[in-house]
Amino acid sequence: MIAIASIILTIASMIWIGGFRISAVIHEVKNLGVRMDKMDVRMDKMEFRMEKGFERLEAKLDARTERLDEKVDTVKTDLHKVDLRVNTLENRKT
């Protein structure tokens, strides 16, 4: 009788301890899910910041390109004026 009670108590304590272990594992899995959700939110924020940064960079590059295009146009206009003057001078010499 004592042996049977001892076996029953051993089995019950193993189930109880196993329940605590399973509970701890379940708790860790839930925490892991929460951590993953937080990580996803952080990644979304980081992607958003990167997109905004690239948009700003693209705007700066566009502005610089426009300024360079304007300078090239100015140089072309000045070169055309010089070319006209040289042609006029050459025509006067002949």
Side-chain angles (χ1 to χ4, degrees), residues 1 3-4 7 10 12 17-18 25-26 32-33 43 53 60 86 89 94:
M1 183 95 149
I4 293 173
I7 291 174
T10 303
I17 291 172
V25 169
I26 291 171
L32 184 60
M43 291 297 289
K60 286 181 181 180
V86 168
L89 288 173
T94 56

Side-chain angles (χ1 to χ4, degrees), residues 66-85:
E66 287 178 20
R67 283 185 292 206
L68 287 174
D69 287 342
E70 290 172 3
K71 287 181 181 181
V72 167
D73 289 341
T74 304
V75 168
K76 283 182 180 179
T77 303
D78 291 343
L79 184 60
H80 182 69
K81 288 178 184 178
V82 169
D83 190 39
L84 288 175
R85 289 177 186 159

Side-chain angles (χ1 to χ4, degrees), residues 11-27:
I11 292 173
S13 67
M14 288 177 68
I15 292 173
W16 190 15
I17 291 172
F20 281 125
R21 287 184 180 170
I22 290 173
S23 175
V25 169
I26 291 171
H27 184 70

Side-chain angles (χ1 to χ4, degrees), residues 25-94:
V25 169
I26 291 171
H27 184 70
E28 285 296 320
V29 169
K30 284 182 182 178
N31 283 340
L32 184 60
V34 169
R35 289 178 189 161
M36 292 299 292
D37 291 342
K38 288 180 180 179
M39 185 70 80
D40 286 341
V41 169
R42 287 179 185 167
M43 291 297 289
D44 290 342
K45 287 180 181 179
M46 190 182 309
E47 287 175 6
F48 180 74
R49 288 179 186 156
M50 287 175 61
E51 287 175 11
K52 289 296 181 183
F54 284 131
E55 288 173 5
R56 279 187 249 132
L57 181 62
E58 186 178 10
K60 286 181 181 180
L61 288 173
D62 288 343
R64 287 183 183 176
T65 303
E66 287 178 20
R67 283 185 292 206
L68 287 174
D69 287 342
E70 290 172 3
K71 287 181 181 181
V72 167
D73 289 341
T74 304
V75 168
K76 283 182 180 179
T77 303
D78 291 343
L79 184 60
H80 182 69
K81 288 178 184 178
V82 169
D83 190 39
L84 288 175
R85 289 177 186 159
V86 168
N87 285 338
T88 305
L89 288 173
E90 286 178 350
N91 288 337
R92 285 186 186 170
K93 282 185 178 182
T94 56

